Amino acid sequence: MITLVRRVTAACVLGAALTACAAAPHPVPRVARPAPSATSAPPTLAPGPGGLTPVFKNGSRTHGRSVALTFDADMTADQGARAAAGEHFDNPGLIAALRELKVPATVFMTGRWAEEYPDQARSLGRDPLFEVANHSYSHYAFTDDCYGLPTVSGDRMRADVQRAYAAFRGVGVPDARPYFRFPGGCYDRRALKALTPVGVTAVQWDVVSGDAFATDAEAVSRQVLEGVRPGSVVVMHCTRSAAPTTERVVRTVVPALRARGFRFVRVSELIGS
């Protein structure tokens, strides 16, 4: 998901950046749902009205001062040539900063990103500091008119999510979480219904960092610090080419929030609290 502070700007920038970015998903093996945890099943929300996929936006505002930093690792299906030409859809410096600062985080990863960066995906998936969650395979939108993204048809939505889980297993991520973030954050009743059989909880956010395509790290840091409340979910990005300031933002906001008494948790901990 690439999000900017101003939706109008986001529509223009993203439309240009990602409109032609993905190839149609290919058939995938039938997988009923993500593999369960080897220890205990991660917490999920009960289905919503009518049995629809539940949506989580933030945790409790009253039980402690917890905040979840989330990072979208975006890459679409036909961006391999751009990666081969030197464009960086990963951000090792950001991950190193999170490890250095000992910040738990949730990474919403596309299947295509995992295939392009298998060593990094596997490292994230096996590091207890992090949890890997699903951001679709190809980064197609699940609704029409979503920041200029191409769309996945209703009958392919479930397969697209399952294909991402298959990609994670293929590169050695042992326990991807049963959490899904819609590309662009765009969803409707049809999308929620399509994903019901997969058994995921859709994870949105209540704080937009504005790091996508941003060049002013101080402005992004202010945006985060002004928005965070107890139980907040902050959306950021793990792609150097599209979010070059994020490492600097993390190095600013983490100590500032800790000084305010906040502690950092993964999304699973917010859902389970």
Side-chain angles (χ1 to χ4, degrees):
M1 194 285 306
I2 294 293
T3 299
L4 290 178
V5 177
R6 296 180 176 84
R7 293 180 65 88
V8 173
T9 303
C12 296
V13 176
L14 272 172
L18 295 178
T19 296
C21 282
H26 296 143
V28 297
R30 293 182 179 178
V31 180
R33 60 182 64 241
S37 169
T39 54
S40 60
T44 55
L45 297 183
L52 298 179
T53 296
V55 179
F56 179 79
K57 295 182 179 179
N58 60 267
S60 170
R61 302 297 193 191
T62 58
H63 295 125
R65 296 176 66 81
S66 298
V67 57
L69 299 185
T70 69
F71 299 88
D72 292 355
D74 295 339
M75 188 172 183
T76 54
D78 75 344
Q79 289 179 329
R82 290 165 58 180
E87 186 169 349
H88 295 287
F89 297 94
D90 62 338
N91 195 337
L94 167 63
I95 301 304
L98 291 168
R99 285 173 167 148
E100 176 188 330
L101 295 167
K102 296 179 172 58
V103 179
T106 302
V107 179
F108 287 89
M109 189 182 296
T110 67
R112 183 63 187 87
W113 193 99
E115 291 174 347
E116 185 68 28
Y117 304 106
D119 292 342
Q120 293 185 53
R122 184 165 51 252
S123 176
L124 287 166
R126 296 181 178 182
D127 187 337
L129 194 63
F130 303 110
E131 59 188 7
V132 171
N134 196 314
H135 194 32
S136 81
Y137 178 82
S138 295
H139 206 267
Y140 272 65
F142 281 57
T143 66
D144 296 329
D145 192 24
C146 181
Y147 302 106
L149 290 170
T151 59
V152 60
S153 62
D155 62 344
R156 298 299 304 168
M157 291 177 182
R158 176 180 173 183
D160 187 70
V161 175
Q162 292 172 333
R163 187 181 180 192
Y165 280 118
F168 301 154
R169 290 192 297 273
V171 301
V173 174
D175 188 25
R177 305 281 90 176
Y179 308 137
F180 177 72
R181 175 163 285 165
F182 287 99
C186 303
Y187 68 93
D188 56 17
R189 181 181 176 85
R190 182 184 70 157
L192 294 176
K193 183 177 181 180
L195 298 190
T196 297
V198 187
V200 294
T201 293
V203 177
Q204 296 289 96
W205 57 85
D206 67 318
V207 178
V208 176
S209 70
D211 66 336
F213 305 108
T215 57
D216 187 342
E218 291 185 4
V220 176
S221 298
R222 286 195 302 271
Q223 175 99 351
V224 174
L225 294 173
E226 290 172 1
V228 166
R229 300 167 59 195
S232 281
V233 176
V234 183
V235 59
M236 306 177 84
H237 296 85
C238 186
T239 45
R240 273 181 286 174
S241 60
T245 67
T246 309
E247 179 187 345
R248 284 179 284 162
V249 171
V250 163
R251 292 187 180 277
T252 297
V253 303
V254 165
L257 287 173
R258 281 177 170 158
R260 296 181 186 178
F262 282 94
R263 71 181 189 97
F264 295 96
V265 299
R266 292 168 289 270
V267 165
S268 58
E269 294 167 80
L270 278 187
I271 293 177
S273 64

